[in-house]
Amino acid sequence: MIKIGMMLGDRYEILEKIGTGGMSDVYKAKCHKLNRFVAVKVLKQEFSENVNFVSKFKTEAQAAAGMMHPNIVNVYDVGEENGTYYIVMELVEGITLKKYIEKKARLSVKEAVSIAIQVSMGIEAAHNNHIIHRDIKPQNIMISRDGKVKVTDFGIAKAVTSNTITSNVMGSVHYTSPEQARGGYSDEKSDIYSLGITMFEMLTGRVPFNGDTTVAIAIKHIQEPMPSPREYIPEIPISVEQIVFKCTQKSPDRRYQSMGELIEDLKKSLMRPDEDFVKIANPDEEASTRMITEKDMQQIKKQSRNRDSMEEEIRLRSDHNNSSGKKKRPKTIDEPRHTSSKKQEHDDDDDSKMEKITTILAIIAAIIIGVIVIFLVGRAMGLFNLSTGEKPQSTTTDVTENTSVAEDEKNGIKVPDVTNLSYAEAVAALKKEGFEIEKVETESDTVAKGNIIEQIPAAGEYAPLGSTVVLSVSISANAGKIRVPNVVGLSEEEATITLVEAGLTPGTVSQTTNDDPSLIDKVCYQSYSVGVYVEKGTVVDLKVSVGAGESTYSFVGNIESPAAEDDQYQAGSSATVILTTSNGLELKRETTTTFPLAFNISGITGAEDGVITIVYNVTIPGSTTTNENGEIVTTPERNEERSVKRTVKFAKE
């Protein structure tokens, strides 16, 4: 059992617990040999008792320890002590990408792409070392305080999957690839799929597939089409949308084939976000029918003959084996009476006859097609009249009508205009003409909810009978409303003009501190988020940066009972919990009888670290003893005040 203050491997002093997961607990520790802080990940008991898992775990962790990359949480050491298995890793002061997304609701496109590039570089380094992660998700990506992005748990996920540990250990099925969901073979392209899902969440603040059970979600990964992130955030540029789509193709062969390819497109998207340069293989082209050539046909015939010869040889050997040492079986009338060579000659004759038949059929088909073409051209020119059988008189009006008929025959049916109609009206109009419908929901500033924004093919174009018309249907009731522009980074004057031109009212302008030096004397805050729709004339308040002020910190955590350090503490007894900064400033004091106790404090200044002190009383039972003089000495029961101290790290706001 791990306790605060104990030493692992005679060098790692356990300082505090900083995290927990389905498979392990994570502690902050100090390496006394190299005099540095590290993170120690300790396997939970149920995994430590699994011999196969421990063996694989050690092998994969040691392989991961061979990697050193700035975008990977590097593994320093692997060890075991008294049945406790642990990994020593680089300590990253920061938060997971998952918590970062939750904190910001969603990330800007540039920030999401920048993080994706760093994650891809870390994964690429692992792939180059023949290590596949298999569990890429925001929970396994760290954002350090200085903004560096690092992927963690390389090798560990592979150890889990290869030993069929239960799925809850692997975390969320929301990020798993279709081939992993099926339980099939996974490779580098499985990591690419999971990164695509992670990008989707960074851009939209949500995962693309959800459900009541892990099985339901896994089925969606396998069967359901990937939704577009632009359905939720319209301002996402097309290049970024297409990158997400390519990463998350159901077939691994249609995804990026390496992290290097993905990194190249991600960098392009930063420079040319609105350019449609991402190339995704067309499934229709891949699955198109390939005509059989004469060479192919000959090869098929050859294989067929070889198969027949092999079957004949097997039959003959079988007859020989059956006859050895036994009475010869008389031939029945059903057995073949010709040799292989005769059979081959017969097959060649059949092939010759088939080729003659095929040639005759082709000539007949050509004649039929020629007659049909002559008939259609003749009818278009007015040479035939089906109703009377007489040649009609040629008038100008007749020529126009017949030409129109010819166009319809050649190009299909003219598509009616259904834009701005309700969806029901549009469907009725198109069905009447014999078209099928595909519905696509889209936000619109101008078209009322439920009406058609756009149609493909466009009105007036010709399309074959029974073909599909795609209808873009408005799902927003934002017609007549104003979409809030982005004024962050503009001067106060520029921001005011931008808001007025958009139909909004500039509100109060106040000053505030901001760490970004590029925003000094510029707007760093607006009271309505970019892209939301508001009524015309809505007041938007602004804040202008005056530069970096004093840094502030926060502490959010659950305070555990002192029982871990002092087994004489009785659960349910009163204790006072005090949080102070490392320089002695008291931040909060609370008395409780219940643990864990939640603390949530913000606006801390003057220190990055703090100390939690828990003060409580324990009851020391009385005792009766006999001294050296034979006298009975009674010690009464007494209360003794004790305290436990723990160091904590504050998070920068």
Side-chain angles (χ1 to χ4, degrees):
M1 179 180 177
I2 300 296
K3 290 187 176 181
I4 304 301
M6 73 180 291
M7 296 285 287
L8 282 177
D10 294 327
R11 64 185 290 187
Y12 304 113
E13 180 186 0
I14 303 298
L15 301 178
E16 62 175 307
K17 189 175 183 179
I18 57 176
T20 188
M23 186 178 70
S24 59
D25 296 316
V26 185
Y27 297 86
K28 179 179 180 180
K30 184 174 183 179
C31 175
H32 285 272
K33 183 175 288 188
L34 297 176
N35 193 29
R36 66 181 177 185
F37 291 108
V38 294
V40 177
K41 177 165 286 192
V42 180
L43 273 182
K44 289 186 175 179
Q45 191 65 30
E46 59 264 37
F47 302 106
S48 298
E49 295 171 354
N50 186 317
V51 177
N52 291 333
F53 174 73
V54 168
S55 174
K56 191 69 176 176
F57 173 81
K58 290 169 66 176
T59 301
E60 295 300 334
Q62 287 165 354
M67 294 189 299
M68 296 295 288
H69 192 274
N71 296 119
I72 290 177
V73 176
N74 296 299
V75 178
Y76 298 142
D77 193 9
V78 183
E80 180 269 333
E81 187 166 307
N82 299 324
T84 298
Y85 295 88
Y86 61 89
I87 295 177
V88 182
M89 304 182 299
E90 173 187 1
L91 178 66
V92 179
E93 300 283 3
I95 62 174
T96 66
L97 176 58
K98 184 72 173 180
K99 290 183 178 178
Y100 188 64
I101 295 171
E102 291 171 352
K103 182 178 179 181
K104 299 190 71 172
R106 64 180 177 86
L107 309 187
S108 69
V109 172
K110 284 189 176 181
E111 187 174 25
V113 171
S114 176
I115 290 174
I117 290 173
Q118 295 183 66
V119 172
S120 298
M121 292 171 70
I123 299 174
E124 182 183 37
H127 288 178
N128 290 340
N129 282 273
H130 311 292
I131 295 176
I132 305 166
H133 195 289
R134 289 180 171 84
D135 196 22
I136 293 295
K137 57 186 178 182
Q139 294 90 327
N140 283 337
I141 298 169
M142 297 294 298
I143 309 293
S144 69
R145 290 184 177 178
D146 57 359
K148 291 181 181 177
V149 180
K150 293 177 176 282
V151 185
T152 189
D153 275 1
F154 271 103
I156 299 173
K158 183 177 181 181
V160 175
T161 54
S162 61
N163 283 275
T164 61
I165 302 298
T166 53
S167 61
N168 63 328
V169 173
M170 289 300 295
S172 176
V173 72
H174 292 94
Y175 310 92
T176 193
S177 66
E179 58 269 24
Q180 287 173 293
R182 293 189 188 97
Y185 174 78
S186 57
D187 59 8
E188 289 87 348
K189 292 182 282 295
S190 301
D191 285 350
I192 291 174
Y193 181 94
S194 299
L195 179 54
I197 301 294
T198 300
M199 288 180 62
F200 185 100
E201 185 174 359
M202 284 194 287
L203 293 164
T204 66
R206 54 171 291 158
V207 290
F209 301 120
N210 223 326
D212 295 331
T213 65
T214 55
V215 173
I217 299 170
I219 290 173
K220 289 182 178 181
H221 278 289
I222 295 170
Q223 294 182 345
E224 290 196 4
M226 182 73 177
S228 168
R230 299 176 78 184
E231 291 180 16
Y232 306 99
I233 310 297
E235 60 264 30
I236 293 173
I238 186 171
S239 64
V240 177
E241 175 197 47
Q242 293 302 309
I243 288 172
V244 172
F245 276 152
K246 186 166 183 177
C247 286
T248 56
Q249 291 293 305
K250 304 296 184 189
S251 169
D253 293 337
R254 298 187 65 218
R255 298 174 203 155
Y256 288 100
Q257 297 302 292
S258 70
M259 280 295 170
E261 291 181 12
L262 173 56
I263 292 169
E264 183 179 349
D265 273 4
L266 286 169
K267 289 180 177 178
K268 282 184 186 177
S269 73
L270 287 176
M271 303 299 295
R272 309 194 300 273
D274 297 316
E275 186 176 323
D276 188 8
F277 55 79
V278 179
K279 304 300 180 186
I280 304 177
N282 188 333
D284 295 331
E285 291 178 1
E286 289 182 352
S288 60
T289 302
R290 183 173 68 89
M291 297 300 292
I292 298 179
T293 65
E294 182 64 26
K295 183 178 180 181
D296 294 332
M297 182 60 74
Q298 292 300 326
Q299 183 67 20
I300 293 170
K301 290 178 181 178
K302 181 179 179 181
Q303 291 173 352
S304 177
R305 290 166 184 159
N306 289 341
R307 183 181 68 249
D308 291 340
S309 298
M310 186 179 296
E311 289 174 353
E312 178 71 10
E313 182 178 353
I314 292 171
R315 187 189 64 77
L316 292 173
R317 288 185 179 181
S318 176
D319 289 347
H320 174 74
N321 293 336
N322 289 336
S323 64
S324 299
K326 297 181 182 179
K327 185 177 179 181
K328 187 174 181 180
R329 179 175 60 87
K331 183 182 291 185
T332 67
I333 60 173
D334 292 330
E335 291 180 351
R337 300 179 180 274
H338 53 271
T339 64
S340 297
S341 60
K342 290 182 179 179
K343 184 179 187 301
Q344 182 169 334
E345 291 173 3
H346 178 71
D347 288 343
D348 289 340
D349 291 341
D350 288 345
D351 291 342
S352 178
K353 291 177 182 178
M354 182 58 69
E355 289 174 0
K356 291 177 181 178
I357 293 171
T358 302
T359 302
I360 293 170
L361 290 176
I363 294 171
I364 294 172
I367 293 171
I368 294 172
I369 293 171
V371 171
I372 293 173
V373 170
I374 292 170
F375 172 76
L376 292 176
V377 173
R379 191 175 71 169
M381 297 176 64
L383 298 178
F384 305 112
N385 189 317
L386 295 180
S387 60
T388 64
E390 299 176 358
K391 181 178 177 181
Q393 293 182 353
S394 178
T395 64
T396 304
T397 303
D398 290 335
V399 172
T400 303
E401 290 177 354
N402 288 329
T403 302
S404 177
V405 171
E407 287 296 316
D408 284 351
E409 291 286 347
K410 190 163 55 176
N411 299 321
I413 301 170
K414 192 174 184 179
V415 180
D417 185 0
V418 296
T419 54
N420 290 311
L421 296 181
S422 70
Y423 179 67
E425 291 172 329
V427 169
L430 291 168
K431 288 283 188 182
K432 181 180 178 181
E433 299 296 330
F435 293 109
E436 296 298 320
I437 313 299
E438 180 180 335
K439 182 181 181 182
V440 177
E441 295 181 333
T442 311
E443 290 187 353
S444 173
D445 299 349
T446 56
V447 178
K449 184 177 181 179
N451 286 5
I452 308 303
I453 304 169
E454 184 184 10
Q455 63 182 76
I456 301 174
E461 293 183 4
Y462 287 87
L465 179 67
S467 61
T468 299
V469 177
V470 180
L471 298 180
S472 179
V473 183
S474 174
I475 60 171
S476 61
N478 294 321
K481 292 187 177 182
I482 305 297
R483 190 169 184 268
V484 176
N486 183 10
V487 296
V488 171
L490 302 181
S491 67
E492 179 182 342
E493 181 181 356
E494 291 171 332
T496 300
I497 293 172
T498 301
L499 292 174
V500 171
E501 289 179 342
L504 302 172
T505 303
T508 59
V509 180
S510 58
Q511 294 183 330
T512 187
T513 59
N514 188 283
D515 291 340
D516 189 345
S518 67
L519 292 178
I520 295 176
D521 294 328
K522 295 181 180 178
V523 174
C524 63
Y525 165 84
Q526 59 189 72
S527 58
Y528 284 89
S529 298
V530 176
V532 302
Y533 290 88
V534 297
E535 298 294 338
K536 186 176 182 179
T538 297
V539 176
V540 180
D541 296 328
L542 306 174
K543 290 184 180 180
V544 175
S545 171
V546 294
E550 185 177 13
S551 297
T552 60
Y553 300 87
S554 63
F555 174 75
V556 179
N558 291 323
I559 314 301
E560 302 292 340
S561 79
E565 294 95 336
D566 185 354
D567 56 11
Q568 288 190 313
Y569 171 77
Q570 296 296 318
S573 60
S574 178
T576 300
V577 181
I578 308 162
L579 175 62
T580 61
T581 62
S582 56
N583 54 15
L585 175 65
E586 184 173 315
L587 300 173
K588 187 171 183 177
R589 177 188 293 259
E590 187 170 336
T591 300
T592 184
T593 58
T594 305
F595 288 95
L597 177 64
F599 268 23
N600 188 339
I601 304 170
S602 60
I604 302 171
T605 59
E608 299 182 12
D609 306 280
V611 178
I612 292 174
T613 305
I614 306 176
V615 181
Y616 54 95
N617 289 317
V618 296
T619 300
I620 308 299
S623 62
T624 301
T625 60
T626 302
N627 64 16
E628 58 186 9
N629 297 323
E631 298 171 336
I632 297 175
V633 179
T634 301
T635 303
E637 180 181 273
R638 73 182 190 278
N639 287 329
E640 180 180 297
E641 184 178 273
R642 296 185 181 180
S643 65
V644 169
K645 292 183 181 294
R646 301 170 185 161
T647 59
V648 294
K649 198 79 174 176
F650 299 148
K652 190 173 182 180
E653 293 181 323

